[in-house]
Amino acid sequence: MINYAITILVLPLLSFIVQIFIGKRLPRNGDWVSVGAVAITLCLSLSMFGVMLVKYDPNFEIDTSWVWFDTGSLYVKLGILIDNITIVMLLVVSLVSTLVQLYSTSYMEGDPRYSRYFAFLSLFTFSMNGIILANNLLGIYMFWELVGLSSYLLIGFWFEKKSASDAAKKAFLVNRVGDIGMFIGIMLFFTSTGSFLFKDIFTGVENNLFSTGLLTIAGLCLFAGAIGKSAQFPLHVWLPDAMEGPTPVSALIHAATMVAAGVYFSFRLYPIFTPTALTIIAYIGGFTALFAALIAVSQNDIKKVLAYSTVSQLGYMVLAIGVGAYTYGLFHLVTHAAFKAGLFLCSGSVIHAMHHALHKLDDHKSDPQDMRNMGGIKDKMRVTYLTMLICTIALSGVPLTSGFLSKDAILAGTLSFTMHHPQHFLLAICGFGAAFLTAFYMFRLIFLTFFGKPANKEVYNNLHESPATMTAPLITLTSLSFFIFFTLPNINPFSDYGWFTSLIKAKNSIVPGNLNLTSIEIAEGMHHYHSLAMVLSIIIAFTGIGLALLMYFKKKISPEKITAKMSIPYKLSVNKFFIDEIYQRYLINPSIKLSKTIAFIDWDLYDKYVINGLAKIAEKFSRVVGMRWDYNFLDQKLVDGVGKSTIIFGSRLKYIQTGKVQNYIVWVLVGIIFIYVFQAIT
């Protein structure tokens, strides 16, 4: 398996190198190189997944390390960790990457930077695989930053659009905030344990190398990285803007893989989180889930709705980690990756069709992403409609879907936690409240997009279904939205028991003196409240769907009247609670003013008067010294004088050299006499 893992890691990197240097010279701009590379990684991931199912060993693990460098006092090891979690995540990344790249061959056709686009996709896949395979914090951090770079390149791919370049910069800078915290956490663990390896850090925690306070701080610092990558409040602001990138990028990065990196990272480190840290994590996740859902209900851009939906669902996963149901958080990550990637690709299919229809009509003003410009297109795009509907049902948590299994488990875990800790009842409110809103805004999207009268009859007449290279990935991802793929060998659609929950086992906390519930107690609590949570989640899901049906399909309830009566909440929601404006006014603008002040002090004062002043003084001094002393005195008088004296003396001395021995004898006698007289005097 090690060879398979290394191949999975290296192939996308090789594809990136080929695409960057010679991609444009290859047939079809080399897209087949990228598609072929990730397709091979998918085959290898499926092989590893098959081996995992055959072995059916929840404790399977291969952990290999090697010395990266050794300077005597500094000894750093890196390595690869392969276990059931690794295999599942590799399969998710390779599957979504392959389908997205296949989809992109049609979606991005004709783009002038076609080969560069596939190069960036390959670089991103390489980076994500590196995060998954690393068995140490340093390796994860290096690939973590590379993922950030890849996302920057992909979000800002159409950099000639100011909105796209601004979104790329925003994503990059916001993630840096979380990454700084993550780096501090990594160094805290390294200075205490002397190692970056997970197993050494876990051993250090078990051996009580950390005080409770320091362990809490270090854990939350690491989680700061997850807050940035997984778009949790207050660092969520980059994700909706990141929709400026190509739609396949949204499916790959912001639905299934990159944003899931933070959840995966937190899952790996769960045993070292203190109870205080887990409580904070739970509240961050719960608040993010509800907060993002409240924003999504009023958005009209189809990709923005899905973007805030992603933020909300990531909040669910983080909430699951905080309440101890972290295996189900990972379970939701896997199920969500399939149907949310499907939703983004479906939205891309709709946008692609709308764009071409508007282009035929020479309409460059209408927004192809605004749902108010759509309506009634289900008959024109039957495959897109059916696949998007099924994925929406899965996201809403309706029975017979994978989303029902994972979301129900998270809600059961949250309910169990709040029953054991009644003071944290707000977590259950956030969880169930977000579930209701999810069902409502997703079916709002379905009804506005596919039902009703067309907003523009001419646009409607020019719509057509996307090509097979785009619809095939939709069908594949949609099929994975059904429960059966995750419950086997069990076929009960209301039970979360299956291969995933059998092979991905929860681990107990290793924090010394941790009084939190053990994994067995958590599982028992979830089992006890499973039925109640299931009934509540079904009622809530259908209530949300019913409300959307009455408002946007039956037209029994007027959305306009409701928004008029609730003008303040609506204004807050549609303007995303003015978070961006608050950041702009109280963080960004003061920072810009401060930087301008510092720049003025540095450039206009210090550099102009101090540095340049000293330079002018030195220049004048050098002129004085150079002209008056160096040239006029030292050079002209002293040096040249010595030279002239030497010439004169030499010219006189040559007359002494007559070549006659008697003359030399005379001079020798004169010298002896001189020496004798000198000694006599002294």
Side-chain angles (χ1 to χ4, degrees):
M1 278 202 181
I2 291 291
N3 293 334
Y4 278 22
I6 294 174
T7 305
I8 290 172
L9 179 65
V10 172
L11 274 179
L13 177 61
L14 294 177
S15 170
F16 165 74
I17 295 171
V18 171
Q19 286 290 88
I20 282 293
F21 288 104
I22 62 172
K24 288 186 176 181
R25 303 176 186 177
L26 298 174
R28 291 185 53 86
N29 286 326
D31 60 357
W32 53 273
V33 176
S34 296
V35 176
V38 295
I40 294 172
T41 66
L42 175 59
C43 293
L44 294 175
S45 299
L46 284 170
S47 299
M48 295 173 69
F49 184 74
V51 172
M52 181 188 75
L53 293 180
V54 171
K55 289 186 175 182
Y56 218 75
D57 180 11
N59 298 315
F60 166 75
E61 183 177 292
I62 299 175
D63 191 349
T64 180
S65 304
W66 57 84
V67 177
W68 185 30
F69 62 83
D70 183 5
T71 62
S73 60
L74 185 61
Y75 181 77
V76 177
K77 297 179 73 176
L78 300 179
I80 290 176
L81 172 63
I82 302 174
D83 57 9
N84 295 336
I85 303 167
T86 304
I87 295 171
V88 172
M89 289 299 298
L90 286 176
L91 180 59
V92 171
V93 172
S94 61
L95 176 62
V96 176
S97 296
T98 302
L99 295 176
V100 164
Q101 293 215 18
L102 180 63
Y103 181 96
S104 297
T105 57
S106 292
Y107 190 90
M108 299 297 292
E109 188 176 8
D111 193 280
R113 294 184 293 273
Y114 187 77
S115 62
R116 186 185 298 181
Y117 170 81
F118 281 93
F120 293 163
L121 286 182
S122 296
L123 180 63
F124 174 81
T125 304
F126 163 71
S127 309
M128 274 302 305
N129 289 338
I131 291 176
I132 295 168
L133 289 168
N135 70 343
N136 60 94
L137 292 178
L138 183 61
I140 282 183
Y141 188 75
M142 291 189 294
F143 285 107
W144 193 275
E145 294 301 315
L146 196 56
V147 163
L149 172 63
S150 306
S151 66
Y152 170 80
L153 296 172
L154 287 167
I155 295 168
F157 183 75
W158 290 323
F159 55 83
E160 60 273 8
K161 289 171 59 183
K162 188 178 184 302
S163 57
S165 60
D166 288 345
K169 288 185 288 185
K170 186 177 184 179
F172 190 83
L173 293 174
V174 171
N175 273 275
R176 295 291 73 72
V177 176
D179 294 351
I180 291 172
M182 180 181 178
F183 181 77
I184 293 172
I186 291 172
M187 297 314 297
L188 286 174
F189 278 106
F190 178 73
T191 53
S192 298
T193 62
S195 175
F196 294 107
L197 299 179
F198 290 147
K199 60 182 180 181
D200 292 339
I201 292 172
F202 291 169
T203 301
V205 173
E206 285 183 310
N207 293 334
N208 210 14
L209 294 180
F210 297 84
S211 65
T212 303
L214 180 60
L215 188 58
T216 299
I217 294 172
L220 289 176
C221 284
L222 289 179
F223 182 70
I227 292 177
K229 278 289 186 290
S230 293
Q232 298 296 287
F233 182 87
L235 301 182
H236 68 285
V237 293
W238 68 269
L239 184 62
D241 289 0
M243 298 301 114
E244 290 292 338
T247 299
V249 171
S250 301
L252 178 65
I253 296 180
H254 312 118
T257 52
M258 174 184 165
V259 291
V263 178
Y264 168 77
F265 183 59
S266 302
F267 179 89
R268 283 290 189 196
L269 297 176
Y270 176 84
I272 64 172
F273 287 129
T274 64
T276 302
L278 288 173
T279 303
I280 294 172
I281 290 171
Y283 273 99
I284 290 174
F287 179 80
T288 302
L290 183 60
F291 177 77
L294 287 171
I295 296 174
V297 297
S298 62
Q299 302 303 307
N300 294 310
D301 187 306
I302 189 171
K303 288 179 66 176
K304 285 289 179 68
V305 175
L306 296 178
Y308 280 105
S309 171
T310 299
V311 176
S312 180
Q313 297 306 305
L314 289 167
Y316 263 114
M317 301 172 202
V318 172
L319 172 63
I321 293 171
V323 299
Y326 69 105
T327 55
Y328 293 94
L330 187 69
F331 186 27
H332 194 53
L333 184 157
V334 175
T335 61
H336 176 264
F339 54 71
K340 181 54 66 71
L343 284 169
F344 268 108
L345 294 184
C346 285
S347 72
S349 178
V350 173
I351 295 168
H352 184 264
M354 288 287 296
H355 177 78
H356 281 275
L358 291 170
H359 183 73
K360 285 183 179 180
L361 298 172
D362 200 28
D363 183 354
H364 303 292
K365 295 182 179 180
S366 299
D367 187 356
Q369 297 183 188
D370 195 326
M371 295 183 293
R372 292 171 295 185
N373 296 329
M374 303 174 188
I377 65 175
K378 65 181 179 68
D379 295 327
K380 289 285 187 174
M381 306 181 70
R382 182 65 64 176
V383 176
T384 300
Y385 160 66
L386 289 174
T387 52
M388 197 165 194
L389 177 62
I390 294 171
C391 289
T392 296
I393 291 172
L395 180 59
S396 302
V398 175
L400 305 183
T401 65
S402 60
F404 168 75
L405 299 176
S406 55
K407 185 176 286 188
D408 177 61
I410 293 175
L411 292 176
T414 305
L415 193 60
S416 175
F417 182 83
T418 54
M419 291 299 182
H420 286 92
H421 307 280
Q423 68 272 25
H424 300 305
F425 67 94
L426 287 176
L427 294 176
I429 293 175
C430 289
F432 285 98
F436 166 76
L437 292 173
T438 300
F440 172 77
Y441 66 68
M442 285 307 303
F443 272 87
R444 172 180 177 265
L445 182 152
I446 292 293
F447 294 136
L448 288 177
T449 304
F450 296 102
F451 290 86
K453 295 180 180 180
N456 189 317
K457 194 67 176 178
E458 291 183 341
V459 173
Y460 174 82
N461 292 332
N462 284 281
L463 290 174
H464 58 82
E465 185 61 88
S466 299
T469 50
M470 294 177 66
T471 56
L474 303 184
I475 296 170
T476 303
L477 290 168
T478 300
S479 65
L480 296 175
S481 299
F482 293 101
F483 75 96
I484 195 67
F485 290 97
F486 299 93
T487 61
L488 290 174
N490 184 19
I491 59 172
N492 183 359
F494 296 96
S495 175
D496 58 8
Y497 181 78
W499 65 266
F500 186 95
T501 51
S502 298
L503 294 175
I504 309 298
K505 293 294 187 180
K507 296 180 180 179
N508 292 329
S509 172
I510 59 174
V511 178
N514 189 356
L515 300 179
N516 275 7
L517 299 176
T518 64
S519 60
I520 296 175
E521 290 171 326
I522 292 171
E524 290 177 350
M526 291 179 62
H527 179 74
H528 181 74
Y529 292 102
H530 177 264
S531 297
L532 177 60
M534 179 180 63
V535 172
L536 289 175
S537 66
I538 292 173
I539 293 173
I540 285 173
F542 280 105
T543 302
I545 295 171
L547 182 60
L549 181 73
L550 292 173
M551 291 179 68
Y552 297 100
F553 184 74
K554 296 291 186 180
K555 308 291 185 179
K556 299 292 186 181
I557 303 174
S558 173
E560 291 77 16
K561 291 182 179 179
I562 293 178
T563 54
K565 291 180 180 179
M566 304 178 67
S567 60
I568 295 177
Y570 175 75
K571 188 177 180 180
L572 289 172
S573 175
V574 78
N575 290 284
K576 299 164 285 188
F577 289 88
F578 298 97
I579 298 297
D580 285 301
E581 289 79 4
I582 293 171
Y583 285 174
Q584 186 71 38
R585 182 173 181 176
Y586 295 105
L587 290 177
I588 299 174
N589 289 343
S591 298
I592 293 174
K593 289 181 180 179
L594 179 62
S595 63
K596 287 182 177 179
T597 303
I598 294 173
F600 173 78
I601 296 172
D602 178 54
W603 179 254
D604 293 323
L605 297 179
Y606 182 74
D607 188 76
K608 186 176 181 180
Y609 293 104
V610 178
I611 302 300
N612 291 348
L614 291 174
K616 290 179 180 179
I617 294 172
E619 180 185 10
K620 291 182 179 180
F621 180 77
S622 64
R623 286 181 178 178
V624 172
V625 173
M627 292 298 297
R628 295 182 181 181
W629 295 96
D630 181 59
Y631 182 76
N632 293 336
F633 178 73
L634 291 176
D635 189 67
Q636 296 294 315
K637 301 294 184 183
L638 185 60
V639 176
D640 289 356
V642 172
K644 290 177 181 178
S645 300
T646 303
I647 294 172
I648 295 171
F649 181 74
S651 63
R652 298 292 185 270
L653 189 62
K654 70 179 182 179
Y655 294 111
I656 300 176
Q657 300 177 343
T658 60
K660 297 179 179 180
V661 177
Q662 56 268 33
N663 289 342
Y664 295 149
I665 293 173
V666 171
W667 284 110
V668 170
L669 291 174
V670 170
I672 292 172
I673 294 170
F674 177 78
I675 293 170
Y676 179 78
V677 171
F678 179 78
Q679 288 180 342
I681 295 173
T682 57

